[in-house]
Amino acid sequence: MMAEGRGSLGKPTRVAFLVSAVVTIVFLISYVFSDRGISQLQRAQQRVHALEEDVERLRDENAKLREQLRDLDESTFPIEAIAREDLGLARPGETVYLLRERPSEVSN
């Protein structure tokens, strides 16, 4: 017959349970604090989030550039503006007036 004791588990079962509990705790601790643990996962998630933001920003920038390209294809006004303002060019028959800035007064 079985002896009545404090617990219904036998000594070998208790030892096996204790060993498995210790091993489980050791694995959990090593997983959390290892290079491939939770901290690595969090860093990877942050990197993914940053890359997703970069992709979205680049998509917006590409859309703006496509719009500018379409505007350049449809109209000569932007090209004329660049030619006039940056290069100082004019159409035949136009007179260009260049205004010079006054030299700054030197205080004595």
Side-chain angles (χ1 to χ4, degrees):
M1 217 183 224
M2 212 171 170
E4 299 273 335
R6 290 188 333 188
S8 62
L9 297 176
K11 188 170 183 173
T13 307
R14 278 188 256 156
V15 171
F17 177 75
L18 182 63
V19 169
S20 65
V22 169
V23 169
T24 302
I25 291 171
V26 168
F27 280 131
L28 285 174
I29 290 172
S30 69
Y31 177 73
V32 169
F33 295 108
S34 71
D35 289 341
R36 297 179 188 197
I38 292 174
S39 61
Q40 180 68 19
L41 177 64
Q42 288 174 340
R43 283 193 297 269
Q45 288 174 338
Q46 289 171 350
R47 178 77 173 135
V48 166
H49 182 68
L51 290 172
E52 287 172 345
E53 288 177 349
D54 287 347
V55 167
E56 187 62 32
R57 181 183 51 79
L58 290 171
R59 282 186 180 147
D60 291 343
E61 186 177 334
N62 281 341
K64 289 176 186 175
L65 290 172
R66 278 190 210 98
E67 186 176 324
Q68 288 178 356
L69 184 61
R70 188 181 67 246
D71 290 345
L72 288 173
D73 285 342
E74 294 173 358
S75 171
T76 60
F77 180 74
I79 296 172
E80 272 190 48
I82 292 171
R84 289 173 185 272
E85 294 170 10
D86 295 345
L87 302 176
L89 299 177
R91 289 184 175 169
E94 287 184 336
T95 303
V96 176
Y97 294 95
L98 298 175
L99 303 175
R100 295 184 185 163
E101 293 182 25
R102 291 183 183 176
S104 60
E105 294 183 25
V106 179
S107 54
N108 291 327

